[in-house]
Amino acid sequence: MLHPMSSDQLKRMMEFTRRHAAACKTAALFAVLAVIVLVAALYDRTPRLSYLQVKMLSGNPRGNYAAIVERLAGEAQRRGGRIENLTSEGSVENLRRLAAGRAKRTVQFALVQDGLEVPPGLELIGRLGHPESFVMLGRDADRIHTLEDLRGRRIGIGPVGSGTERVARQILAQLDGLDLQISTPGLEEQLAQLESGELDLAAMVIDDDAQLLAGLVRDRHLQIVNLADAEVLARRLPFARAGIIRAGTYDPVGRLPPEDKHVIQIDTLVLGNGAAKWSATQALITVLAAQFPDFVHLNREFGNRTSLPPAPAARSYFESGGPDRVGVYAPWLVDLMPTARWVQLIFGFSLLFNAMAFAHRFRLWRIDAQRVHLEARLLALFPPGITVGEIATVPAAQQPPDPETGASEDRLIEELSELLERCRRQSLSVLVPMGQEMSYRYQETLIVKLLRSLRIQRGKLERDSAEE
């Protein structure tokens, strides 16, 4: 048999339940907080570059450009992006293919040596901090100490149309008086002609650290010409500067080269054709900065020293010292319009809305001022102290004995009617902020009350005049 609980037992049970429920809530709260902390600790906050999906032209598969783009592709892959390395015959072909690929978006970027004629429509992303060198190699190049020692030499400068050939002609054009014999065989043919004695020197534009150059010096025993006047020659070319390949660079023990070699250095440019989105361009620069730590600093401090237009996304990146922060997490947003433009647009809309609000308040003030003026003129037609609501009840005989009273009331009725129409028209204007129409409705109500009282009083005057 069940016995009913006493009131004390019921109270104790309710207290126990309340405390137990509070403890459960506290434990659940701590559990949720622990889960949030754990998720935050495990979450990788490093922005991913999954929106970087581009193709980049490099150069000969064995050359330095191909190696650079391969490094960039690896960095992009580690960050969730993708850079496809498109090999080519060199800078000249890169320029042609990059310009042609703009419309079809088959390629977006390319590495190109500075100093070449660039087709219209291409833009500068930036210049790499590690330049290439214009070097001349030969069997007895260590014997060349002055420019005069080059007199009558047979020099191969690479195939016609190649980047090396175009740069070499600009450099060697300054040595017209030395009777140089220029030919244009390919690289392998140049090396073969050096071996056979058909050429004295072979010119190339190549990275100082390239395995090809190291192999030619170390394994094939070719020597590098020391251009003692490299600084003078480079000064006349806007894209070139003097540099040095240090002694022992390719064999510290055997000391190859045996002494410092003065060379002419040429920057490597990263070009785009405008086919890549804003976010992808900035993502590429992030990858470049990871592989070349001074890339951003170099391009920000020294600026654009070419005649090429800078890519807007690159210019923004360098000016701010980093990528568009909104674009890192919402690339689709900056692809529509950069964050700075969004800020400008919002600011512009803010100014527009403020101007509209000011115009609205000004027009409302003018309506109110005109209404008050007309109201004062109306009250002046009646005994002092009368209110608008009392006008309709004033007998016509109590109005001032002025023959112009009727005409004055008619003018007031006409002006009030015009003011009412103006108030209604302006209340429908786009200048009126949403919800502010009631300010005009209030003015309309006051004007209608004036008109009603005035028309009633005008009717009284007309009746009295008719009776007389």
Side-chain angles (χ1 to χ4, degrees):
M1 181 178 178
L2 297 176
H3 298 281
M5 288 188 296
S6 64
S7 58
D8 291 341
Q9 290 175 325
L10 184 59
K11 289 180 180 179
R12 285 196 296 272
M13 179 175 289
M14 291 177 65
E15 181 67 18
F16 173 79
T17 303
R18 185 183 63 79
R19 292 179 179 178
H20 185 68
C24 290
K25 289 180 181 179
T26 302
L29 177 62
F30 277 108
V32 171
L33 290 175
V35 171
I36 293 175
V37 170
L38 180 62
V39 170
L42 296 178
Y43 177 68
D44 183 9
R45 291 177 293 277
T46 303
R48 306 293 289 170
L49 301 181
S50 57
Y51 50 91
L52 176 61
Q53 304 288 329
V54 297
K55 296 180 180 180
M56 191 170 191
L57 291 161
S58 55
N60 189 293
R62 297 197 307 159
N64 184 53
Y65 282 5
I68 289 176
V69 176
E70 201 59 38
R71 285 163 48 198
L72 297 178
E75 181 67 28
Q77 187 176 16
R78 284 190 292 274
R79 295 171 178 245
R82 181 172 178 269
I83 298 176
E84 185 176 344
N85 184 1
L86 302 181
T87 58
S88 69
E89 292 300 321
S91 296
V92 174
E93 182 185 343
N94 287 355
L95 289 172
R96 178 180 56 78
R97 290 175 61 182
L98 188 63
R102 179 177 184 178
K104 296 182 179 180
R105 299 182 182 271
T106 53
V107 62
Q108 292 82 28
F109 302 103
L111 293 182
V112 176
Q113 71 185 42
D114 201 357
L116 301 180
E117 184 178 351
V118 178
L122 302 186
E123 54 192 19
L124 177 67
I125 305 300
R127 65 178 65 242
L128 299 183
H130 190 68
E132 293 187 304
S133 296
F134 172 78
V135 298
M136 290 189 290
L137 299 156
R139 306 298 298 178
D140 58 350
D142 286 344
R143 297 179 184 178
I144 298 175
H145 302 290
T146 67
L147 293 179
E148 181 61 32
D149 293 337
L150 292 173
R151 181 174 294 278
R153 298 279 182 161
R154 297 165 298 175
I155 304 175
I157 59 173
V160 175
S162 66
T164 298
E165 184 257 346
R166 296 195 180 187
V167 170
R169 288 194 183 279
Q170 294 179 70
I171 294 173
L172 298 180
Q174 303 178 56
L175 309 178
D176 279 345
L178 297 180
D179 299 323
L180 301 177
Q181 301 178 43
I182 305 300
S183 60
T184 56
L187 176 59
E188 296 300 330
E189 189 179 352
Q190 284 187 81
L191 297 177
Q193 291 180 10
L194 282 177
E195 293 284 349
S196 65
E198 297 177 58
L199 283 180
D200 298 314
L201 298 171
M204 62 182 66
V205 177
I206 192 169
D207 188 272
D208 297 352
D209 300 326
Q211 291 298 318
L212 175 61
L213 181 58
L216 293 175
V217 173
R218 187 174 54 241
D219 303 329
R220 301 182 71 162
H221 308 294
L222 294 180
Q223 300 167 0
I224 300 174
V225 172
N226 179 34
L227 287 175
D229 296 313
E231 187 172 349
V232 176
L233 296 173
R235 187 180 301 170
R236 302 183 182 184
L237 301 173
F239 58 85
R241 62 180 183 269
I244 297 176
I245 298 177
R246 295 298 180 183
T249 296
Y250 305 116
D251 187 351
V253 178
R255 200 167 175 76
L256 293 176
E259 60 184 10
D260 290 350
K261 299 291 184 177
H262 293 80
V263 295
I264 295 176
Q265 293 185 330
I266 302 167
D267 281 333
T268 296
L269 305 180
V270 183
L271 302 185
N273 57 12
K277 296 180 179 179
W278 178 287
S279 59
T281 300
Q282 293 213 331
L284 175 66
I285 297 175
T286 297
V287 172
L288 284 164
Q291 289 296 312
F292 300 92
D294 61 343
F295 181 76
V296 175
H297 172 77
L298 173 70
N299 287 278
R300 181 176 59 210
E301 296 301 322
F302 294 96
N304 182 1
R305 294 182 293 178
T306 72
S307 59
L308 293 170
R315 183 175 60 243
S316 172
Y317 195 109
F318 299 140
E319 289 176 352
S320 59
D324 190 311
R325 299 309 301 171
V326 175
V328 170
Y329 299 97
W332 58 269
L333 187 62
V334 297
D335 287 339
L336 292 175
M337 190 164 53
T339 300
R341 296 284 180 84
W342 282 112
V343 173
Q344 292 173 356
L345 183 63
I346 293 171
F347 181 69
F349 272 115
S350 177
L351 289 179
L352 175 62
F353 290 146
N354 285 333
M356 291 172 61
F358 174 80
H360 151 68
R361 289 192 294 269
F362 178 80
R363 293 167 72 174
L364 189 62
W365 166 68
R366 292 305 305 152
I367 289 174
D368 184 65
Q370 182 69 12
R371 179 190 59 78
V372 171
H373 174 70
L374 295 176
E375 183 178 294
R377 284 172 52 190
L378 173 62
L379 293 177
L381 300 176
F382 297 92
I386 195 170
T387 64
V388 172
E390 295 171 340
I391 290 176
T393 62
V394 174
Q398 293 187 14
Q399 288 190 257
D402 185 354
E404 294 294 326
T405 298
S408 297
E409 291 183 354
D410 288 339
R411 286 195 296 272
L412 282 172
I413 290 174
E414 182 180 353
E415 291 180 37
L416 282 170
S417 298
E418 291 176 356
L419 185 62
L420 180 63
E421 177 61 26
R422 187 172 118 202
C423 183
R424 172 55 61 92
R425 184 174 64 254
Q426 291 184 2
S427 72
L428 303 176
S429 170
V430 295
L431 296 179
V432 181
M434 186 179 299
Q436 295 298 313
E437 300 88 351
M438 295 307 297
S439 299
Y440 289 92
R441 301 291 177 263
Y442 175 68
Q443 291 292 331
E444 288 178 20
T445 301
L446 296 179
I447 296 171
V448 168
K449 286 182 179 179
L450 283 173
L451 276 172
R452 179 176 177 277
S453 299
L454 186 55
R455 283 169 175 162
I456 290 175
Q457 191 55 232
R458 184 73 181 105
K460 290 181 180 180
L461 282 178
E462 291 177 350
R463 286 195 300 273
D464 289 352
S465 298
E467 290 175 358
E468 292 177 0

